[in-house]
Amino acid sequence: MADMASSANLEGYQPYKKPVFRRLMQRTIIPWLFILPILAIHILVVAIPSISALYYSMTDWKGIGEANFVGLANFKRLFTDDPVFLKALKNNFIWLAFFLTIPFGLALTAASLLAQVKRGAMFYRLVFFLPYIMPSVVTANIWQNLLSPRRGLGAQFTASPVGEQLVKLGMPDLGIPFLGRTETVLLSIAFIDNWHYWGFLTILFLVAMQNVPLELYDAAKIDGANRWQQFLNVTLPGIRPTLLFMLMMTAIWSFLVFEYVWILTQGGPAGASEVLGTYVYKQAFQRFDTGYAAAMGLTMSSFAGLIILIFIVLRKRGWDI
Amino acid sequence: MLKQRREAPAIFNHIILSLLVVFALLPIMVLFFNSVKSNAEIGSNPLGPPRELHFENFKTAWERGKFSRTMRNSVVLVIGTVTSVLVLGGLAAYSLARLKPPGSDGFMLYMLVAATIPLWLYLIPLFILWRSLNLLNNPLGLILIYTATNSPLAIFLLRSFLISIPRELEDAAFMDGANKLQTFFRIILPLAWTGFLTVGLVVGLGVWSEFQIALIFVQLPEFYPVTTSYFAFASRFGRDWALTSAAAVMMIAPVIIFFLALQRRFVDGLTAGSVKS
């Protein structure tokens, strides 16, 4: 200590300053410089706009000109004075019900059958995954044609000899414009989106099932469990974390859906397939009701946030999620 | 006897799985069939294999769909995004995996929370911000957005790849006098390239197929990527099933080739984001 104090001139100070600075450089500054570029981009694209969305949602801004602060008026309008929003929200719930059942049923069936198969397993995996990598615009176009009233699958089947017999037995004519009728349009779009989605789920479940210890199945067989009982008591508990996580993700996505609906019908006919995503898009980029659309975007996002919250709470309560 | 009893369920499995194969594959096959049919043939034979091959459909679709321009636009977006995600995300992941500066846990937490923020929350303010920065109708504008939206997944995946690399190799490089940046590019990158390839494929596929952000942030046709351009094309020539099919085949051909060549990496990468370990 005495030495340090006595040599407190520039030359004596230097050897002490340098290591401290170099340590700071090596341990903190340089490592943070590695992180900084991507963090800066992310803050610019996601964080700053997310925060300003809170502000915009409380204004009556129309995209240009002046913005007036209106408090929670936009949110009040959403839930009390906007039948289109409520209709879209209802469609999102129908979408949610569809996607929490149909793709999961398909994928659980396919994955559990595939897990027991050795020959051709790679081929099945490859084929089931293929629709997932198709761009949405292409998938939409393929199915637009396959569901068309005269040349589509339904029309061709109805016109076939088997179809003609079935029509006589009471099967309805399937040569209808599935995407053009208010009663079929939403489920048709969900069907198309599901065609692209179920194979992805299948592969996820398959990977999870392959990690279930084989001894558990052997033990179940010794206890005399049949295949269905093995599925219920061994497979499902074994893949539970993946299953619940994907249920949560799928539920979140159900409130954010946009692409397939926009490409196929833009919410039509007569608003029958309107979902929150298409409605926000119209309000923001076609009607320029910017403040109102921001409030809607915030509301949609809080539905997604609510689902995450439910899962966190269940987890805290001791559910193994 | 025993063998028969084991075979029976397998055959049942194959029957159901084959039906699902038809479900997954038939629409794609019909697309390929119709891309080489004449419109007259599609009228009489909309689903079956073609009787004559009309490869000129591709030339017509290429010209009318302005594919030489839209493919170039999309390639710029893919290369730009993949490069920036791998370089910038890789540097951040390296810092998180090895250098662990004070406060880096906070950065991880930020990325984890950010990964759950839906696009719909920040889309409108982002559009306004991009308009004021002159980044609408601008490839750089899209590359920045794609880089940001892909970065959480890329950083977490790359970090886990980098952690698995033995530390001794880096220490040896440091001893030889390499600095951190040199170590990253000369030692880490060559060893972790499979991880980088996986992330690059996933990000590249995502950007090539991306529709929603491109629809909103690019409104001038000369900057359209393949997806929004195809959307406009299909709305215009919607009745021309042969032409739209040929255009679709050209758009998915690179995806399918990459997928078949590198399927394992695709599947691993695309499922990695969703599987909890």
Side-chain angles (χ1 to χ4, degrees):
Chain A
M1 276 312 260
D3 255 89
M4 248 178 85
S6 65
S7 60
N9 53 49
L10 257 178
E11 283 155 69
Y13 191 54
Q14 209 67 322
Y16 278 95
K17 188 186 168 187
K18 220 173 166 184
V20 170
F21 181 68
R22 264 177 80 172
R23 255 181 70 146
L24 196 69
M25 209 50 196
Q26 291 287 332
R27 299 241 173 118
T28 308
I29 296 178
I30 291 179
W32 269 103
L33 283 178
F34 282 17
I35 294 175
L36 214 57
I38 197 109
L39 180 61
I41 292 175
H42 201 278
I43 287 176
L44 181 73
V45 172
V46 179
I48 293 175
S50 292
I51 292 163
S52 43
L54 300 177
Y55 165 73
Y56 284 120
S57 69
M58 289 187 272
T59 68
D60 64 354
W61 203 40
K62 304 287 177 201
I64 40 166
E66 223 168 279
N68 299 307
F69 188 80
V70 295
L72 298 177
N74 285 330
F75 296 96
K76 198 176 158 225
R77 182 177 149 200
L78 271 180
F79 286 98
T80 58
D81 197 23
D82 190 344
V84 180
F85 172 77
L86 295 177
K87 164 89 181 165
L89 185 59
K90 191 183 140 214
N91 281 342
N92 277 93
F93 275 104
I94 295 173
W95 194 272
L96 175 78
F98 181 97
F99 270 85
L100 289 187
T101 50
I102 308 288
F104 280 83
L106 261 176
L108 283 173
T109 310
S112 53
L113 294 176
L114 190 46
Q116 301 161 347
V117 159
K118 282 212 174 65
R119 194 175 297 170
M122 272 318 287
F123 169 76
Y124 289 124
R125 282 178 55 145
L126 191 70
V127 170
F128 293 165
F129 207 78
L130 206 53
Y132 187 67
I133 62 164
M134 294 284 141
S136 52
V137 280
V138 171
T139 300
N141 187 252
I142 295 175
W143 280 100
Q144 218 156 20
N145 291 326
L146 290 179
L147 294 179
S148 68
R150 272 181 302 120
R151 303 184 299 195
L153 284 173
Q156 296 291 310
F157 180 69
T158 306
S160 70
V162 182
E164 276 175 356
Q165 291 304 315
L166 285 171
V167 168
K168 277 181 197 156
L169 292 170
M171 184 189 79
D173 182 358
L174 296 177
I176 60 164
F178 287 96
L179 292 164
R181 287 199 182 171
T182 51
E183 58 282 16
T184 52
V185 61
L186 188 66
L187 288 180
S188 301
I189 303 171
F191 171 87
I192 295 170
D193 195 342
N194 173 51
W195 177 79
H196 146 271
Y197 185 56
W198 74 273
F200 171 66
L201 266 188
T202 302
I203 303 303
L204 285 180
F205 291 156
L206 180 67
V207 173
M209 284 177 193
Q210 284 166 343
N211 289 329
V212 178
L214 277 174
E215 298 82 55
L216 293 178
Y217 287 100
D218 293 338
K221 275 180 212 156
I222 291 168
D223 290 345
N226 62 30
R227 287 178 99 190
W228 174 244
Q229 288 165 330
Q230 287 175 35
F231 175 76
L232 278 187
N233 298 317
V234 181
T235 310
L236 277 188
I239 65 164
R240 192 174 135 138
T242 307
L243 183 63
L244 290 174
F245 182 69
M246 287 318 293
L247 281 170
M248 178 182 86
M249 294 308 292
T250 310
I252 293 172
W253 290 330
S254 296
F255 286 102
L256 309 175
V257 52
F258 170 76
E259 285 200 14
Y260 282 91
V261 181
W262 188 257
I263 295 165
L264 286 161
T265 64
Q266 317 205 340
S273 61
E274 198 82 75
V275 288
L276 296 176
T278 54
Y279 191 44
V280 174
Y281 180 87
K282 286 176 190 171
Q283 291 292 345
F285 301 108
Q286 293 182 341
R287 290 173 205 146
F288 303 104
D289 205 345
T290 313
Y292 189 51
M296 224 181 314
L298 187 64
T299 308
M300 279 169 77
S301 307
S302 37
F303 286 127
L306 200 65
I307 292 164
I308 297 178
L309 202 69
I310 291 172
F311 269 76
I312 292 175
V313 168
L314 289 179
R315 200 175 185 173
K316 282 251 164 79
R317 292 216 168 162
W319 282 44
D320 176 28
I321 299 177
Chain B
M1 189 61 199
L2 196 70
K3 193 167 184 234
Q4 261 187 345
R5 273 172 64 184
R6 274 187 20 210
E7 284 291 304
I11 286 168
F12 169 78
N13 287 13
H14 281 292
I15 291 170
I16 305 286
L17 289 170
S18 304
L19 289 175
L20 290 170
V21 166
V22 172
F23 177 54
L25 222 47
L26 184 85
I28 301 172
M29 277 167 61
V30 171
L31 178 77
F32 275 86
F33 289 160
N34 287 346
S35 70
V36 289
K37 284 181 196 168
S38 67
N39 263 316
E41 191 186 337
I42 289 177
S44 61
N45 169 29
L47 304 175
R51 293 191 206 101
E52 301 165 39
L53 299 177
H54 290 268
F55 288 110
E56 72 274 13
N57 287 351
F58 292 106
K59 190 166 175 281
T60 319
W62 181 275
E63 282 161 5
R64 291 208 198 153
K66 307 267 189 298
F67 266 88
S68 55
R69 189 176 69 201
T70 64
M71 288 254 184
R72 200 174 54 226
N73 288 344
S74 277
V75 167
V76 167
L77 295 176
V78 168
I79 292 179
T81 309
V82 169
T83 310
S84 75
V85 166
L86 290 186
V87 172
L88 303 181
L91 285 172
Y94 177 61
S95 184
L96 289 176
R98 282 291 193 265
L99 312 176
K100 295 186 189 119
S104 61
D105 287 346
F107 171 68
M108 292 255 281
L109 189 68
Y110 169 81
M111 278 293 167
L112 207 61
V113 172
T116 66
I117 297 178
L119 175 68
W120 287 112
L121 178 62
Y122 56 89
L123 180 68
I124 294 160
L126 179 64
F127 179 82
I128 295 159
L129 180 65
W130 252 223
R131 191 175 60 188
S132 65
L133 294 174
N134 260 330
L135 286 170
L136 300 180
N137 297 308
N138 182 337
L140 181 66
L142 278 185
I143 290 172
L144 284 172
I145 300 174
Y146 292 151
T147 303
T149 53
N150 281 300
S151 57
L153 178 69
I155 288 172
F156 287 117
L157 277 182
L158 291 176
R159 177 177 162 272
S160 62
F161 273 110
L162 293 174
I163 285 176
S164 66
I165 293 174
R167 229 204 145 107
E168 293 76 33
L169 292 166
E170 284 159 77
D171 294 341
F174 279 131
M175 300 279 260
D176 291 346
N179 67 28
K180 289 195 170 59
L181 214 56
Q182 287 169 327
T183 318
F184 176 73
F185 281 106
R186 301 248 173 95
I187 309 288
I188 303 291
L189 215 51
L191 283 170
W193 71 272
T194 50
F196 281 80
L197 176 66
T198 305
V199 172
L201 282 174
V202 171
V203 172
L205 173 72
V207 173
W208 182 264
S209 312
E210 206 286 326
F211 174 76
Q212 187 180 354
I213 294 170
L215 176 76
I216 291 165
F217 289 85
V218 177
Q219 288 144 349
L220 297 178
E222 65 247 51
F223 297 108
Y224 278 171
V226 283
T227 47
T228 53
S229 156
Y230 180 81
F231 179 55
F233 179 78
S235 323
R236 240 180 91 204
F237 297 100
R239 308 246 149 207
D240 197 333
W241 200 349
L243 205 58
T244 54
S245 298
V249 166
M250 292 191 290
M251 209 176 126
I252 60 174
V255 175
I256 291 184
I257 291 168
F258 267 103
F259 177 66
L260 292 179
L262 297 157
Q263 30 162 312
R264 255 222 117 77
R265 305 228 167 280
F266 261 101
V267 175
D268 287 355
L270 284 168
T271 52
S274 307
V275 181
K276 294 210 315 175
S277 49

